[in-house]
Amino acid sequence: MSTAAVLASTRPSLPPSTSQFRFRSSIHVRGLFPAASALTYPAQTRRVPAPPHRLELSAMAAPVTTSPLGSKCRYLDSAAADRTRLNRGVRAQAMAGESGTGPTLAGSVFGGLHLIVSLGIILAMDKFLKMAFVAAAIKFPSALFGMFCIFSTLVILDVVFPPAAAGLEKFYQPALLFIQRWLPLFYVPSLVVLPLAVKDIPAASGAKISLIIAGGWLASLCVAGFTAIAVRKMVNTELMDAEPMEKPPPFAPIEAWAWSGIFVVSFIGALLYPAALGTSATTFLPFLLSATFLGYIGGSSLPAGVKKVFHPIICCALAADAAALAFGYLSRSGLDPVLGAYLTKVASNPGAGDILMGFLGSVILSFAFSMFKQRKLVKRHAAEIFTSVIISTMFSLYSTAFAGRLVGLEPSLTISILPRCITVALALSIVSLFEGANASLTAAVVVVTGLIGANFVQAVLDKLQFRDPIARGIATASSAHGLGTAALSAKEPEALPFCAIAYALTGIFGSIICSVPVVRQSLLAIVG
């Protein structure tokens, strides 16, 4: 037999459609080979490049030469064996990576513990400050004080020992992403119980409140925007790039399935055993909470065009109300008792809404990290930011008081809607400084104001020809707080830093100014 015949008989079989041997892994191997990678062995030289990382093919590195027949056969046998070992190693690593075992599982467990610890510390800090302020009879918002303490600590550490500030910021990053991801949910409870909040409000008063909310939002947006543009022209500071903001991960299908399972089981259990967990609030809590989460996840997955008119927070509130209505109908208890159990405002007997609103203090504490991250931006554009925020906040408070007096709205209702442009967490602290305010109405008005801004802010800014991202960001956050910020920044990421800063500073300055007795008395005098 000729040498060519022997080589042909010992050569590995090749696909008939190609003159090259190709090894392609059918599993995408992350971290080992790039996507759609392949090892190709040209028929002329049969040289195999060594793959990256730890898999070595040194025996295949040399090309076939015109050596004696025995050497060629031994080479081919060695190459085939190496390819077999490579195939097994690739598949083993691919299966380990795709199945989530090994370092992926350990990383997930560590990440979960990291989130629990970091978020738990923030919640514990907020609770401790609340108890301390109540014991000392201090009316200043405790979460705002905590925010100043965190921000001051970060600034001092950044000057004295920058790695410590960076490490502290990194440690709390999982908690901050959690708060950012679920932020709209913390506003929902007041919208869910809106039927109870407006139950005793006359229709005429409701119409007046609606007029003040819509007109006030537009007026506040114009004041903040034009002020920012005027100051920008005076200082003429060059726009500075903001620090990149990390975004929370999208919702996974397993989250929807998990909450769906909790809802079905707890809903049926509450129907069969209405007092299984002691009180109605605690028994209803699982299915009402899961309905709220499901509504938000479902609303967030809607097409962008639908979300313009049907914001996820509306979908969220409707889902919770639908669950409450269904339970009230099937249990023959009616809607009002179920909604009353959703938000009890009793620390010893919390409902689903109380759990969600318990995170509002942590939202304020998280402002410290946002402001610290953008401290260079705040320093460079301090004139535009602080001037616009102070003027727009003062305008919002006093114009609401004047408008309520002008249309003949009841003083208690006017006081309740004074902080309409301030985030819920601080708006509730502000109205607690006034006697006779309806906190549920305050929260509902704030959420409705945010929804108006979320749906119409971009179109109005375009109509007003606000082109500068600083003016657009400040105007949005000063008039529609967090919901308007989320809506604008999703389409205009360059405005996000200014939205975030103005969003925090508007609430901070509003709380500080309303803590001054002279200011409160002047507002009460206008309201009548």
Side-chain angles (χ1 to χ4, degrees):
M1 183 181 295
S2 65
T3 302
V6 172
L7 286 174
S9 63
T10 57
R11 181 179 300 166
S13 60
L14 300 176
S17 60
T18 180
S19 61
Q20 296 177 333
F21 175 81
R22 300 177 186 272
F23 169 73
R24 294 182 185 269
S25 173
S26 59
I27 303 176
H28 174 56
V29 186
R30 294 174 293 185
L32 185 61
F33 297 111
S37 63
L39 295 179
T40 303
Y41 304 86
Q44 292 80 3
T45 61
R46 295 204 170 283
R47 182 183 298 274
V48 180
H53 302 295
R54 297 177 299 276
L55 294 177
E56 305 251 345
L57 297 179
S58 57
M60 301 171 62
V64 177
T65 61
T66 57
S67 57
L69 174 61
S71 299
K72 292 183 180 179
C73 292
R74 284 194 300 271
Y75 167 80
L76 292 173
D77 290 340
S78 175
D82 282 337
R83 283 195 295 270
T84 301
R85 287 193 296 270
L86 171 63
N87 189 17
R88 290 174 180 172
V90 168
R91 291 182 181 276
Q93 292 191 34
M95 291 175 64
E98 293 296 331
S99 62
T101 59
T104 302
L105 178 59
S108 299
V109 172
F110 177 78
L113 292 175
H114 190 181
L115 170 62
I116 292 172
V117 173
S118 58
L119 184 62
I121 293 175
I122 291 179
L123 292 173
M125 187 186 306
D126 176 49
K127 187 174 181 61
F128 172 77
L129 288 173
K130 284 181 180 177
M131 295 173 60
F133 273 55
V134 170
I138 300 175
K139 288 191 173 184
F140 189 80
S142 59
L144 196 58
F145 174 79
M147 188 217 70
F148 282 125
C149 291
I150 295 174
F151 181 75
S152 301
T153 302
L154 289 170
V155 171
I156 293 172
L157 287 176
D158 188 56
V159 173
V160 178
F161 188 54
L168 193 63
E169 192 177 12
K170 183 178 180 180
F171 173 78
Y172 284 105
Q173 188 64 21
L176 301 178
L177 287 176
F178 176 88
I179 293 171
Q180 182 183 348
R181 190 186 195 212
W182 299 106
L183 180 62
L185 275 183
F186 309 146
Y187 301 147
V188 166
S190 301
L191 203 58
V192 173
V193 299
L194 184 60
L196 297 180
V198 301
K199 189 175 182 180
D200 299 327
I201 297 178
S205 299
K208 294 175 183 178
I209 292 174
S210 300
L211 179 63
I212 294 174
I213 292 173
W217 167 76
L218 180 60
S220 297
L221 182 141
C222 291
V223 169
F226 284 116
T227 301
I229 291 175
V231 177
R232 286 280 288 154
K233 291 180 179 179
M234 287 189 291
V235 297
N236 197 24
T237 306
E238 185 179 354
L239 185 63
M240 176 183 177
D241 291 335
E243 292 292 326
M245 305 286 286
E246 188 175 354
K247 293 184 178 180
F251 297 113
I254 191 173
E255 294 181 89
W257 285 109
W259 284 114
S260 299
I262 295 173
F263 173 78
V264 172
V265 173
S266 58
F267 187 88
I268 296 175
L271 277 177
L272 297 177
Y273 306 100
L277 300 179
T279 64
S280 298
T282 53
T283 304
F284 298 168
L285 189 152
F287 81 83
L288 288 175
L289 186 64
S290 57
T292 307
F293 273 89
L294 284 172
Y296 183 63
I297 294 173
S300 300
S301 63
L302 294 174
V306 178
K307 285 192 286 190
K308 287 183 178 180
V309 294
F310 196 63
H311 197 275
I313 199 173
I314 298 178
C315 185
C316 182
L318 291 178
D321 282 331
L325 183 62
F327 186 87
Y329 175 78
L330 294 175
S331 64
R332 301 184 185 279
S333 61
L335 176 63
D336 289 357
V338 183
L339 290 182
Y342 185 88
L343 187 63
T344 64
K345 299 180 182 180
V346 178
S348 58
N349 184 33
D354 299 282
I355 299 296
L356 294 175
M357 294 190 73
F359 285 90
L360 290 176
S362 63
V363 173
I364 304 305
L365 295 178
S366 70
F367 287 167
F369 295 92
S370 301
M371 293 177 61
F372 176 75
K373 190 174 185 65
Q374 304 295 344
R375 60 193 181 281
K376 295 180 181 178
L377 195 70
V378 174
K379 183 178 180 180
R380 184 175 182 84
H381 300 287
E384 305 98 299
I385 294 172
F386 284 97
T387 303
S388 302
V389 166
I390 291 173
I391 291 178
S392 65
T393 303
M394 295 290 291
F395 172 81
S396 174
L397 290 170
Y398 281 94
S399 65
T400 303
F402 275 114
R405 179 74 175 267
L406 183 64
V407 300
L409 187 63
E410 293 87 334
S412 60
L413 297 180
T414 304
I415 292 173
S416 300
I417 65 173
L418 283 178
R420 56 181 173 78
C421 292
I422 296 173
T423 185
V424 172
L426 289 174
L428 295 178
S429 299
I430 290 174
V431 295
S432 66
L433 301 173
F434 298 89
E435 295 182 2
N438 185 339
S440 297
L441 177 62
T442 300
V445 165
V446 170
V447 173
V448 172
T449 301
L451 290 173
I452 294 174
N455 287 321
F456 303 107
V457 67
Q458 195 170 30
V460 173
L461 289 174
D462 292 339
K463 289 289 185 182
L464 294 173
Q465 297 184 352
F466 290 167
R467 307 297 183 210
D468 190 275
I470 295 181
R472 292 175 74 89
I474 293 176
T476 299
S478 299
S479 61
H481 48 81
L483 295 179
T485 294
L488 182 68
S489 60
K491 299 177 182 179
E492 302 178 20
E494 67 277 5
L496 174 59
F498 305 102
C499 284
I501 294 168
Y503 164 53
L505 291 178
T506 299
I508 293 168
F509 182 74
S511 300
I512 293 174
I513 196 68
C514 288
S515 299
V516 179
V518 175
V519 174
R520 291 203 304 273
Q521 292 172 4
S522 63
L523 288 171
L524 289 173
I526 295 172
V527 169

